[in-house]
Amino acid sequence: MKSDRLLAILLLLQTRGRVPADELAAELEVSARTIYRDVEALSAAGVPVYAERGRHGGITLLPGYRTDVTGLTGDEARALFVLTAQGVHSALGLDSALVSALRKVMAALPAPHRPAAELTSRRILVDPDRWLPGPRRAVELDALHTAVFADRRLRLRYRHSGDRQLRTYTVDPYGLVSKAGVWYLVADRQRSPALFRADRIASATVLEEPVRRRDEVELADVWQTLRRRVEERPRDVHVTVRVHCSRLGMFTRIVGPLLTEAPGGDTADQDEGDWVTVRLAFSFLPGVSVLLQFGHWVEVLDPPEAIDELLHRLHEVTALYDAQRGAAPSPRAPGDTAPATCAGEPSSYEAEE
């Protein structure tokens, strides 16, 4: 709507000062000609806005002009009060600031929108943490936060997954990202994007050198590149398994990112009574060992190499505990078989979650 666009132009000019017409047009997804028409409309409405031509020109307001804009729609007011659970703001030391800011926004809202905004804050909660995430190391974000906002380089002592040795990196930070409750530092290392889990950073030192980010590259751009790199990692090992339906819900929650098709409906083979056939894809063969946690509730059908890999892992574990106990492994207890049907109450694991 034109009225929303005029308000957006006014807010952008108040925030940024002089803004080129092409930049406003790109941000609002309209043509530069439309921006100039909107500027004329604002001027006709009494707003002291004008265009400056030339190399350093742009759209600007008269110096000192400010306006208190409270023309939020009902949905915009409600959107501001969809709160996240404690964690993200706490890690940044901004809990009290968030409460204070929301109090001020509530006071500035048009009276008709206040009840809906207040009700939203009491009825909607976004919790970014996964179920049963397990224990986590304490994460110290102070140095990372300082470097990000002071535009300084960072020297990290970092431990990669599965690596006992600490490695030293000098990086140029773009910002911090909280992904499913886990904090990451997004940075350039030797002019290439790199991702560092905050809980694997042993130490971080803010350097005096100014940050050396690539021109016209923002945090969101680098994050999308890194996210695609993780999510689109080649997965060339295709494995077919059958899962007992009493464990299917738990199975899909744990290995969901590995599924190549959703189980159930038209995409799963349901001709085997209480078992469902599921297909997964792994980046490398040893990754199939994750299936061992499901015991006899999950059976690998294909390929033979995956079965051999599981047998190899089982033999390693059996040898370890046989040596520890000095005795042969105990046979499976009689009657330890899968239940006959899928009906009934969920397992205790599922109920706890």
Side-chain angles (χ1 to χ4, degrees):
M1 292 178 61
K2 181 176 180 179
S3 58
D4 291 336
R5 193 170 64 246
L6 294 176
L7 180 58
I9 292 173
L10 182 56
L11 291 173
L12 287 169
L13 294 178
Q14 286 191 172
T15 304
R16 302 182 188 175
R18 182 182 296 104
V19 183
D22 290 343
E23 185 177 324
L24 286 173
E27 184 146 353
L28 300 177
E29 298 181 348
V30 296
S31 67
R33 181 175 296 181
T34 298
I35 293 297
Y36 284 120
R37 284 201 297 264
D38 289 343
V39 168
E40 291 178 2
L42 285 170
S43 180
V47 177
V49 59
Y50 61 96
E52 288 185 347
R53 301 192 180 277
R55 183 179 175 184
H56 301 291
I59 312 299
T60 187
L61 294 167
L62 282 179
Y65 176 80
R66 303 289 298 178
T67 182
D68 292 327
V69 180
T70 57
L72 293 174
T73 67
D75 286 344
E76 289 170 342
R78 291 174 60 199
L80 291 174
F81 286 84
V82 175
L83 304 182
T84 59
Q86 288 186 349
V88 175
H89 292 90
S90 297
L92 297 173
L94 297 175
D95 268 350
S96 60
L98 175 66
V99 173
S100 176
L102 290 177
R103 189 183 301 119
K104 293 175 182 177
V105 171
M106 180 67 78
L109 284 178
H113 297 330
R114 292 177 191 170
E118 183 179 1
L119 185 61
T120 297
S121 69
R122 293 165 51 199
R123 294 291 184 266
I124 305 294
L125 178 67
V126 178
D127 189 340
D129 290 334
R130 293 180 178 179
W131 288 109
L132 305 178
R136 292 178 181 165
R137 297 191 193 97
V139 177
E140 182 56 62
L141 295 179
D142 286 350
L144 307 184
H145 186 274
T146 298
V148 164
F149 284 93
D151 291 333
R152 292 289 184 269
R153 307 189 85 194
L154 271 169
R155 181 173 292 120
L156 305 179
R157 295 280 287 162
Y158 189 77
R159 179 179 287 106
H160 292 275
S161 177
D163 191 350
R164 294 184 179 181
Q165 182 180 357
L166 285 172
R167 302 180 184 275
T168 302
Y169 300 112
T170 298
V171 301
D172 298 288
Y174 285 91
L176 298 168
V177 173
S178 177
K179 171 72 169 170
V182 178
W183 282 100
Y184 292 90
L185 172 69
V186 175
D188 272 354
R189 184 169 71 87
Q190 298 178 345
R191 305 290 288 178
S192 296
L195 193 62
F196 300 90
R197 270 186 65 143
D199 58 2
R200 292 184 188 150
I201 297 175
S203 66
T205 304
V206 181
L207 305 180
E208 292 299 322
E209 303 171 57
V211 72
R212 303 173 187 173
R213 302 187 186 106
R214 286 167 285 151
D215 294 338
E216 299 183 2
V217 177
E218 298 292 337
L219 169 63
D221 304 320
V222 186
W223 171 247
Q224 287 303 319
T225 298
L226 294 168
R227 181 175 177 175
R228 283 195 300 269
R229 184 183 296 176
V230 173
E231 295 176 351
E232 297 175 5
R233 186 177 299 162
R235 294 191 292 162
D236 301 325
V237 180
H238 295 272
V239 178
T240 302
V241 304
R242 66 173 194 152
V243 183
H244 196 273
C245 62
S246 65
R247 295 298 187 271
L248 185 59
M250 179 178 68
F251 178 83
T252 54
R253 286 196 296 274
I254 294 175
V255 302
L258 303 173
L259 298 175
T260 59
E261 56 185 31
D266 297 332
T267 59
D269 183 359
Q270 305 248 358
D271 297 334
E272 300 175 275
D274 303 320
W275 296 82
V276 173
T277 299
V278 179
R279 293 171 179 83
L280 308 100
F282 295 86
S283 298
F284 52 96
L285 187 60
V288 301
S289 60
V290 71
L291 300 175
L292 291 174
Q293 64 184 300
F294 302 104
H296 62 285
W297 304 104
V298 172
E299 178 185 359
V300 174
L301 303 177
D302 190 67
E305 294 84 358
I307 298 173
D308 292 341
E309 178 68 23
L310 293 181
L311 288 172
H312 174 66
R313 298 299 177 188
L314 286 172
H315 289 158
E316 287 182 332
V317 174
T318 300
L320 172 66
Y321 288 106
D322 282 350
Q324 186 183 96
R325 296 173 59 188
S330 301
R332 179 183 292 182
D336 187 10
T337 58
T341 68
C342 296
E345 296 298 321
S347 68
S348 59
Y349 179 95
E350 293 170 318
E352 289 173 1
E353 183 170 335

